[in-house]
């Protein structure tokens, strides 16, 4: 490294995001953990404030000191007074940390104690968070923003809307996840929404609505020397009017022309330089491709949900790099994590497509509206990787874990009015589109009702067409090899193939799935393992992010088949009752297995993300583990079996999740894999008796379940195990010793021979 950096602070305070909430979840555990890792590498003493005990960053070995206190000005000042840090980082704890940092600056606390803000200056943060200042700042460089007026009362909002003309959108300043925002078509709606928004924020922005335009984002990185790159750009499947956190998102953008892409990229760099960002930020546009007209919606002067997606999609460690830049390094000082040799001063080039799909748990609440819009309701999301849009949308829809098999092959929804269901965005609209296409709606008609770009709709129509072709045969054995290969390349699972061919005649789904899988193997229709490579083949890639695809001829990775690999099954998309605590479990499992000298993969139970399909979690961070296998975590797709057989040939599985992976273990056991002892948190919900070797799991007891097939031995099950108890002896393979898991909550396993 060159000597571009100034002297580092000796002690730095990092603000976390506090309790998980809609719009602020695991992505900030990821970003904060990476920032702590970057500072530890520099020998800096770190102090963390975060009351969320379920996070990885609050575990031993990350921060030197941890305060489980509210992230509010009062408590942060008390910690500053006690610890006397020289610097503070605000960009890694979401809106909570940002708002707290701004308040500390305005109250004079930071100046009083001589604490420097590392990275983006507070003035730049305020210029992006205060809507009036933001518009004024971009006016200085002739960048177009949405016509708007900042107001602080209902009467001012009515006057602003009258001047702008309805429809308008109301946005709250300094708010999280679009909190308090929404569209208004008349005065009555405006009054109700403004009163609500003002309860969250002292300032509200009334904007002219551009509903129906495209929404596009750029992730931009800048250092203090004014070097600037765009790491990734993303495009929403849904048109403007749906919050990014509520929309299906693809990266890189698929419908922009080369001219459009570079036009918006150039603008993003211009904006970031003018505002004075140091580190990473996100620029969001409304874009009309017909006229190349645009409006800047907002700039997030911090890491965000989109940052986690961009980081995992490209292999570029945005949070880690942003922390280093905050310490004063230049982009040219840092190593590219993909090559580990060249500079981090490069823009990734993707030869694959990534798709993010939100997960909602609205069904858990009575009377809740299922419509989605400018304010977030989703509680989690998944990321699928592949070579075509058809492939990733089908993978992703399986991954969200809500009983859907993909874009087709699902039970029909009960819909009274298809036109209304298409024109009103809900958490089920993607499946409404599928049903409409199957009932003969044209792409043009669906575009008129949804304003979704025709490019996406034509790709979805390809899936419908293939489904119809499959339905032209009476049995799976009659399928031509080329049609089966086409279906697999479009993301069809073996279950979907069987459902499309047999329809309601598929009475034994499990047998049909295994028969189709056997047929595929005979025909040589098998997936290949691809490695994320963002270097356009100019340099060898060394990332541990992998994915499975049928759109390839050879694998990028060779496996040793030495029976020393261990696969850790994670919990998948966040949902109510299963979130960051299982990332904590998985991460600690990986660290323990790594310490014991084993190779390991991480896969989520129930679907994917270049490993874990939850793209915001730390368990999927580059450098934490060895290969992160990006396969579809459903046995119905043959994907876990295909992936693991290519890697392990009779290897070992460990589970660190709640209930979902246990469903997979039966199939893995039958496929002759050794399954290491499992500690199950909360086995309630298992009312059914599983076939051997599971026995019966019931009640709320913590269980240790040892599953093995060695010398005729069957199931060993321990109940009411004390936290921290070591697992070993009869709980593992014969002669294997137990490994004590930190904290004893979800526990580790015998080391495989």
């Amino acid at each position: 490294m060159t000597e571009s950096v100034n002297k580092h602070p000796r002690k730095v305070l990092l603000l976390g995001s506090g309790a998980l909430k809609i719009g602020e979840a695991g992505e900030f555990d990821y970003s904060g953990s990476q920032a702590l890792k970057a500072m530890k590498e520099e020998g800096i003493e770190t102090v963390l404030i975060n009351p969320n005990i379920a996070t990885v960053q609050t575990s031993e070995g990350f921060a030197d000191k941890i305060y489980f206190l509210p992230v509010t000005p009062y408590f942060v000042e008390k910690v500053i007074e006690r610890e006397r840090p020289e610097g503070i980082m605000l960009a890694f704890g979401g809106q909570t940390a940002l708002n707290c940092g701004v308040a500390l600056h305005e109250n004079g606390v930071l100046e009083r104690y001589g604490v420097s803000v590392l990275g983006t200056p507070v003035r730049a943060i305020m210029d992006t968070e205060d809507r009036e200042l933001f518009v004024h700042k971009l006016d200085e460089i002739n960048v177009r923003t949405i016509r708007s007026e900042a107001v602080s009362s209902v009467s001012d909002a009515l006057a602003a809307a009258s001047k702008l003309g309805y429809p308008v959108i109301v946005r709250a300043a300094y708010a999280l996840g679009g909190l308090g925002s929404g569209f208004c078509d008349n005065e009555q709606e405006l009054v109700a929404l403004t009163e609500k928004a003002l309860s969250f924020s002292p300032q509200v922005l009334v904007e002219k609505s551009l509903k129906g335009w495209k929404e596009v984002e750029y992730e931009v990185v800048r250092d203090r020397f004014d070097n600037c790159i765009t790491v990734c750009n993303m495009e929403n499947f849904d048109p403007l009017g749906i919050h990014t956190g509520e929309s299906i998102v693809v990266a890189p953008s698929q419908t922009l022309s080369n001219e459009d892409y570079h036009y918006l990229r150039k603008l993003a760099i211009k904006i970031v330089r003018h505002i004075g960002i140091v580190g990473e930020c996100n620029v969001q546009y409304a874009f009309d491709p017909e006229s190349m007209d645009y409006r800047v919606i907002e700039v997030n002067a911090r890491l965000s949900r989109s940052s986690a997606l961009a980081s995992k999609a490209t292999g570029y460690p945005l949070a880690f790099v942003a922390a280093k830049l905050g310490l004063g390094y230049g982009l040219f000082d840092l190593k590219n994590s993909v090559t580990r040799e060249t500079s981090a001063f490069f823009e990734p080039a993707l030869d694959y497509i990534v798709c993010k799909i939100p997960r909602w748990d609205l069904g858990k609440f009575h009377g809740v509206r299922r419509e989605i819009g400018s304010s977030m309701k989703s509680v989690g999301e998944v990321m699928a990787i592949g070579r075509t849009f058809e492939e990733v949308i089908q993978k992703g829809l399986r991954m969200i874990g809500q009983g859907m098999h993909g874009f087709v092959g699902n039970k029909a929804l009960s819909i009274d009015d298809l036109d209304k269901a298409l024109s009103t965005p809900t958490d089920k609209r993607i499946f409404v589109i599928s049903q409409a296409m199957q009932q003969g709606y044209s792409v043009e008609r669906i575009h008129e009702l949804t304003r979704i770009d025709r490019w996406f709709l034509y790709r979805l129509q390809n899936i419908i067409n293939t489904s119809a072709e499959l339905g032209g045969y009476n049995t799976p054995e009659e399928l031509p090899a080329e049609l089966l290969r086409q279906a697999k390349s479009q993301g069809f699972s073996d279950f979907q193939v069987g459902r499309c061919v047999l329809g309601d005649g598929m009475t034994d789904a499990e047998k049909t799935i295994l028969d189709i899988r056997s047929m595929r193997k005979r025909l040589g229709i098998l997936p290949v393992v691809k490695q994320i490579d963002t270097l356009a083949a100019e340099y060898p890639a060394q990332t541990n992010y992998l994915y499975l695809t049928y759109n390839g001829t050879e694998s990028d990775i060779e496996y040793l088949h030495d029976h020393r690999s261990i696969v850790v099954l994670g919990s998948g998309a966040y949902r109510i009752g299963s979130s960051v605590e299982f990332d904590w479990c998985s991460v600690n499992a990986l660290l323990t297995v790594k310490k014991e000298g084993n190779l390991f993969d991480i896969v989520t139970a129930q679907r994917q993300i270049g490993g874990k399909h939850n793209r915001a979690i730390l368990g999927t961070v580059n450098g934490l583990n060895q290969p992160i296998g990006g396969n579809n975590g459903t046995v119905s797709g043959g994907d876990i079996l295909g992936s693991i057989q290519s890697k392990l040939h009779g290897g070992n599985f460990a589970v660190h999740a709640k209930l979902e992976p246990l469903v997979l273990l039966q199939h893995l056991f039958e496929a002759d894999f050794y399954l290491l002892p499992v500690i199950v948190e909360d086995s309630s919900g298992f009312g059914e008796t599983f076939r051997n070797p599971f026995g019966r799991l019931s009640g709320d007891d913590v269980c240790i379940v040892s599953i093995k097939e060695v010398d005729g031995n069957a199931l060993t099950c321990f109940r009411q195990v004390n936290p921290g108890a070591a697992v070993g002896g009869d709980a593992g393979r014969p002669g294997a010793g137990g490994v004590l898991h930190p904290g004893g909550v979800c526990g580790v396993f015998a080391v495989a021979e």
Side-chain angles (χ1 to χ4, degrees), residues 480-731:
E482 204 47 50
L483 178 57
L484 183 55
R485 190 181 301 278
Q486 175 183 311
K488 297 303 290 184
S489 69
Q490 290 182 353
F492 280 74
S493 68
D494 293 339
F495 177 93
Q496 284 177 291
V497 172
R499 172 68 66 83
C500 291
V501 174
L502 299 174
D504 294 335
M506 190 171 72
T507 54
D508 189 342
E510 193 168 310
K511 181 179 183 303
T512 303
I513 289 164
L514 294 175
D515 288 346
I516 292 173
R517 182 169 180 269
S518 298
M519 183 173 73
R520 282 196 296 102
K521 291 179 73 175
R522 287 198 309 272
L523 296 171
I525 302 173
L526 299 170
V528 293
V529 180
K530 288 295 181 183
Q531 186 178 37
I532 282 185
D533 180 354
T534 57
L535 304 165
E538 291 183 17
Y539 298 93
Q542 298 184 44
T543 57
N544 55 348
Y545 287 115
L546 311 176
Y547 63 98
L548 259 67
T549 181
Y550 287 83
N551 292 291
T553 55
E554 61 181 33
S555 295
D556 292 341
I557 299 294
E558 290 186 23
Y559 293 96
L560 299 176
H561 305 305
D562 59 358
H563 298 271
R564 293 183 60 248
S565 294
I566 292 175
V567 174
V568 177
L569 298 183
S571 61
Y574 284 4
R575 64 205 73 186
I576 294 173
S578 176
S579 60
V580 71
E581 62 271 19
F582 295 106
D583 185 31
W584 179 89
C585 294
S586 298
V587 168
N588 279 283
L590 294 170
L591 292 173
T592 305
V593 173
K594 188 175 184 179
K595 183 179 177 182
E596 295 295 323
N598 283 265
L599 299 175
F600 52 86
D601 288 11
I602 180 166
V603 182
T604 57
Q606 286 304 97
R607 339 294 173 202
Q608 155 197 359
I609 141 172
K612 278 190 163 183
H613 58 270
N614 186 338
R615 56 150 178 104
I617 54 180
L618 188 70
T620 59
V621 170
N622 194 348
L624 175 64
N625 44 32
Q626 280 123 16
I628 301 177
N631 63 290
N632 222 5
T634 52
V635 177
S636 65
D639 297 290
I640 273 206
L641 289 179
S643 169
I644 303 307
Q645 282 181 343
S646 70
K647 300 171 186 178
L648 303 180
H649 281 289
N652 307 283
F653 270 76
V655 179
H656 275 263
K658 222 178 167 184
L659 302 180
E660 294 84 354
L662 296 180
V663 180
L664 298 176
L665 292 185
Q666 174 72 45
H667 300 275
L668 296 168
F669 175 84
E670 290 170 352
D672 297 325
F673 291 109
Y674 286 111
L675 304 174
L676 301 177
V678 182
I679 293 184
V680 183
E681 276 203 22
D682 180 14
S683 59
S684 61
F686 275 91
E688 298 296 324
T689 300
F690 283 79
R691 294 196 311 273
N692 282 335
F694 282 94
R696 184 176 179 84
L697 294 176
S698 63
D700 295 327
D701 296 335
V702 174
C703 302
I704 298 179
V705 184
S706 170
I707 304 167
K708 61 179 182 291
E709 177 90 4
V710 180
D711 299 329
N713 293 327
L715 174 70
T716 301
C717 179
F718 296 89
R719 296 183 186 278
Q720 295 179 333
V721 176
N722 293 324
V727 182
D730 191 41

Side-chain angles (χ1 to χ4, degrees), residues 53-98:
I53 45 84
T55 55
V56 173
Q57 63 183 239
T58 55
S59 300
E60 184 180 357
F62 284 84
D64 293 298
K65 294 182 180 178
I66 303 167
Y67 286 86
F68 292 98
L69 293 172
V71 185
T72 61
Y74 175 82
F75 286 102
V76 174
E77 181 179 357
K78 294 297 182 184
V79 173
I80 289 174
E81 183 181 8
R82 178 187 177 94
E83 294 292 340
R84 300 291 173 150
E86 297 175 20
I88 185 170
M89 287 192 169
L90 308 176
F92 301 89
Q95 198 68 44
T96 298
L98 220 57

Side-chain angles (χ1 to χ4, degrees), residues 394-409:
Q394 293 239 78
K395 279 185 178 181
L397 292 173
R398 285 196 290 276
M399 292 176 194
I400 55 177
Q402 293 184 314
M404 296 301 187
H405 302 286
F407 187 64
V408 295

